[in-house]
Amino acid sequence: MLEIVILAAGQGMRMHSLRPKVLHPVGGKSMLLHVLKTAANLSADRVHVVYGQGGDMVKAAVEDDSIHWCHQSERLGTGHAVLQAMPAIDIESTVLVLYADVPLIRMETLQNLILELGQSTLSLLSVKLENPSGYGRIVRDVHGLVQCIKEENDADVETRKINEVNTGILAARAKDLNRWLENLDNNNTQGEYYLTDCIARCAREGGRIHVAVSANPAEVMGVNDKLQLAKVERTYQLGRANAMMRQGVTLADPSRVDIRGDISVGQDVSLDINVILEGQVRLADNVTVGAHCILKNVDIGKDTEVRPFSAIENAVIGERCIIGPYARIRPETHLGNDVHIGNFVEVKKSTIDDNSKINHLSYIGDTQIGKRVNVGAGTITCNYDGASKHSTQIGDDVFIGSDTQLIAPIHIQEGSTLGAGSTITRDTPAHELTLSRSKQVTVPGWQRPGKKLKK
């Protein structure tokens, strides 16, 4: 039986934020959610989260009723934090301790750590760093056996030269861990109950301590300030970019793409620089995304091109479409196949059927557009009357001249032609020309006002 304890009670003073540290995002998702996902992938029988200040915010950010929440009212150290969870843990289980501010830890690393516990009393994850400053050092005897962990504040000069450091991540049997924790003291410079003191207690009892040295220091990076958060973010993003390239995606620059969700890609997908992918994104075969585009919760069909500086959110885009540049596709929009949405066009909560085109400077909202419709430059649907939204229906094969206003609710029937510059307030008949224009007048002898000359 595997039970996981995630420590998430850190105040995060160095973050200089009202938001609890563990809720700061990496790749668009809080650090805590990253660790919870890893825990779920390990198929733990139960997950315990130890929280402290800002606990209501932390609990509200996690939609999982199976989590056992443990409140640490006083922050008296990591050992004290784990002890808050122990009463709810089965004494016969294996306990894995993780940290909510170490979001990049890999499932494979943890699986190996748990596996090694079968032949050991305690299984510990360490890492070797060129600059170990700030970390607890792994102290071994002449035979290489672990004796204890010395926190930097309590270490002498020689101990501080050790470059193998503690990550804090460990696995032990609940009955052993509970015994060690109940006998901890706070006789150290911090006056705290250190979880790391369990290692010394295990060694004094003659227990076998297995140390797995992480081959990838990036996966055990912790976050205590915004500088470290940015470093973890870049590491995460480069990992996602590399994974996409291994799938065959062409990235103009792997260091200039941000992936903040779950991405599904087909073959021959190409992303230019500074593309942001958020939420659930599916890019079918041969989709091209230009520079500086934002795609959030979108499904894009094959052979579609999204040109630079376009934003698409909560929308479905068909095959062989051309979007942008500088287009905005807002939520609840569905484009058919071979649809063109051009520069400075905004579409919201609308369906646009196959082979229709809106190429320039238009707003289309709450509208259903049929097949083979041409919408001229500067056309807008006036869908809001100040109190309610109304819909516009546009049939197949409609031609709408430039600078036309469609006052909803309205139905433009199939085959209609609307003259440029018209304000259409009533339904139009099929296959007829409809326009509304005031009479053009020239005023003879009119003089434009001029400014008075300064003396």
Side-chain angles (χ1 to χ4, degrees), residues 5-13 18-23 32 48-60 62 67-78 80-82 84-85 100:
V5 177
I6 301 174
L7 303 188
Q11 190 171 1
M13 294 289 290
L18 297 176
R19 179 188 299 178
K21 179 174 70 170
V22 299
L23 297 186
L32 174 58
H48 311 262
V49 177
V50 181
Y51 68 97
Q53 185 173 1
D56 290 341
M57 292 175 63
V58 173
K59 293 171 72 173
V62 179
I67 291 174
H68 175 236
W69 296 94
C70 313
H71 187 229
Q72 186 186 19
S73 57
E74 296 181 274
R75 286 175 295 282
L76 301 178
T78 51
H80 178 261
V82 176
Q84 308 312 300

Side-chain angles (χ1 to χ4, degrees), residues 18-230:
L18 297 176
R19 179 188 299 178
K21 179 174 70 170
V22 299
L23 297 186
H24 284 266
V26 171
K29 182 168 60 178
S30 76
M31 292 189 286
L32 174 58
L33 288 181
H34 280 281
V35 180
L36 284 171
K37 181 178 179 181
T38 301
N41 289 337
L42 288 169
S43 300
D45 294 282
R46 199 170 189 195
V47 175
H48 311 262
V49 177
V50 181
Y51 68 97
Q53 185 173 1
D56 290 341
M57 292 175 63
V58 173
K59 293 171 72 173
V62 179
E63 298 179 358
D64 188 342
D65 294 335
S66 69
I67 291 174
H68 175 236
W69 296 94
C70 313
H71 187 229
Q72 186 186 19
S73 57
E74 296 181 274
R75 286 175 295 282
L76 301 178
T78 51
H80 178 261
V82 176
L83 194 58
Q84 308 312 300
M86 294 307 296
I89 292 177
D90 190 305
I91 199 67
E92 298 299 324
S93 66
T94 293
V95 179
L96 174 66
V97 178
L98 302 178
Y99 296 80
D101 59 0
V102 183
L104 304 186
I105 187 67
R106 297 184 308 121
M107 180 183 67
E108 296 79 7
T109 298
L110 299 176
Q111 286 174 326
N112 291 334
L113 198 68
I114 296 166
L115 183 63
E116 289 295 339
L117 188 63
Q119 304 299 319
S120 307
T121 311
L122 186 148
S123 191
L124 177 69
L125 183 64
S126 74
V127 64
K128 293 183 178 180
L129 301 176
E130 291 184 8
N131 178 14
S133 177
Y135 290 89
R137 310 305 203 273
I138 305 290
V139 179
R140 298 175 182 265
D141 64 15
V142 293
H143 304 291
L145 299 177
V146 174
Q147 296 300 295
C148 65
I149 295 173
K150 278 289 185 183
E151 297 299 332
E152 183 166 273
N153 290 334
D154 302 307
D156 57 28
V157 174
E158 287 302 311
T159 302
R160 291 185 182 188
K161 292 179 181 179
I162 298 171
N163 73 339
E164 185 183 11
V165 303
N166 173 46
T167 67
I169 296 172
L170 60 82
R173 293 170 184 83
K175 58 184 177 182
D176 293 326
L177 187 58
N178 197 57
R179 181 177 70 256
W180 299 329
L181 290 171
E182 287 181 343
N183 289 283
L184 292 181
D185 61 53
N186 62 347
N187 185 24
N188 51 63
T189 58
Q190 298 294 104
E192 294 183 351
Y193 297 92
Y194 293 153
L195 176 64
T196 50
D197 285 349
C198 291
I199 283 76
R201 291 186 174 276
C202 179
R204 287 198 295 270
E205 292 177 358
R208 184 176 184 274
I209 300 172
H210 170 80
V211 180
V213 182
S214 173
N216 180 13
E219 72 171 323
V220 294
M221 285 193 298
V223 174
N224 291 301
D225 57 33
K226 293 295 178 66
L227 294 174
Q228 292 174 338
L229 181 65

